[in-house]
Amino acid sequence: MTSFSVVPGAAVSQILGASPKDILRVVTDTYIAHEHGRSVNPDSYFLRFPEKPDARVIALPAYLGGEVDTIGIKWIASFPDNVRQGLPRASATLLLNDYATGYPIACLEAAGISAARTAASAAVAAAALVGDARLRVAVIGAGVIARTILSYLHANGLAISDVLVHDLDATSADHLAGHAEGLGLSARTGTLQHALAADLVVFATTAATPYVPGDTPLRPGQVLLNVSLRDLAPELLLGANNIVDDVEHCLKALTSPHLTEQLTGNRDFVTGTLGGLLLGRFTLDPAKPTVFSPFGLGILDLAVGHHVLQQARAQGSAVEIPDFIGETTRW
């Protein structure tokens, strides 16, 4: 218990890339464990800067029981101005602690883990909501998260007929369309209006306030993955089945579900959680579209990070630091 493991980004990327189906399984199991109450997932904590209002660093502490039985915290920075310099918007680390003693056991580069758990969450929800239907998919926002979501939708076996990409930056849209074609999918760029008509619409933007109007026509059975959380006017949610990852977490921070709660004064519009859906605890109204709004739970980072750590140790790609703990006895 005196040693400490460090898993660098290259090793994390290799493990994630080699086993997307394992990540999908881990994320599915984690949602079910959370639904059964085998987790502790407190509020995220936001560090903001007066001179950089668009930037933030978020701490997501969590504990997950069962086979994972580990404590962890993700520390993730979001600096949108990075994009102008050709850098990814987000960077992250994940610290894991032993549940028996509380001692730190590992630190992992976690930007890829964060993207993978977000994408796997979207793909698990999509598969549960659309079944084996052949889909026209649209992705609104063409960054790292969007790219990873497309990869995980493909890895989860969704029957995708074609992909339409919309982004305010034409170059980013072209890159994501090229990525989709690299997955063997037919892809093109298009307008927001055309994107909103797809069977499965993925929102992966940095929008701070809704820009999709409340009177936007949606179809019965249409599925919207509200991953970026603030794109949709609350009136849209009132006409939809609404699935969240966790009610308390999602209805805050001026997300679209939070704005809907403020508009109505209640939470009656929430149909249920993804864990409940996976367990068959409720049914959806087939006459309505469905919106999945995942706030992003720290337990997902923890579970995926635990999996990556086990694989890295087995492969020898974890860097071990012996005697990391300075004092091992009280006296």
Side-chain angles (χ1 to χ4, degrees), residues 181-212:
E181 290 173 346
L183 296 172
L185 304 172
S186 173
R188 60 190 173 92
T189 62
T191 66
L192 176 62
Q193 182 180 6
H194 287 142
L196 292 172
D199 303 315
L200 177 66
V201 185
V202 180
F203 294 90
T205 74
T206 57
T209 56
Y211 57 89
V212 180

Side-chain angles (χ1 to χ4, degrees), residues 4-165:
F4 187 81
S5 300
V6 175
V7 186
V12 172
S13 296
Q14 185 275 323
I15 292 166
L16 293 174
S19 59
K21 289 192 178 298
D22 286 340
I23 305 305
L24 289 161
R25 173 186 53 78
V26 167
V27 166
T28 300
D29 291 348
T30 302
Y31 274 124
I32 291 173
H34 185 58
E35 191 72 14
H36 285 309
R38 295 195 292 268
S39 62
V40 180
N41 201 104
D43 286 345
S44 304
Y45 298 90
F46 288 71
L47 176 63
R48 299 185 183 274
F49 314 95
E51 296 182 357
K52 289 187 173 185
D54 293 337
R56 65 184 186 270
V57 188
I58 312 172
L60 289 81
Y63 164 73
L64 184 61
E67 294 182 2
V68 177
D69 201 29
T70 301
I71 306 163
I73 185 167
K74 180 177 72 171
W75 181 243
I76 180 165
S78 174
F79 279 55
D81 285 349
N82 285 356
V83 176
R84 299 175 187 171
Q85 305 174 53
L87 299 172
R89 173 185 57 83
S91 59
T93 55
L94 176 67
L95 182 67
L96 301 181
N97 293 66
D98 176 63
Y99 181 58
T101 64
Y103 282 13
I105 57 175
C107 180
L108 298 86
E109 196 279 331
I113 289 171
S114 186
R117 66 84 151 150
T118 301
S121 169
V124 168
L129 292 169
V130 304
D132 57 0
R134 190 160 179 80
L135 304 168
R136 294 175 299 123
V137 174
V139 184
I140 300 171
V144 172
I145 296 299
R147 181 185 71 207
T148 313
I149 289 173
L150 262 184
S151 295
Y152 272 83
L153 291 175
H154 184 256
N156 210 22
L158 270 74
I160 300 174
S161 63
D162 59 83
V163 177
L164 186 146
V165 179

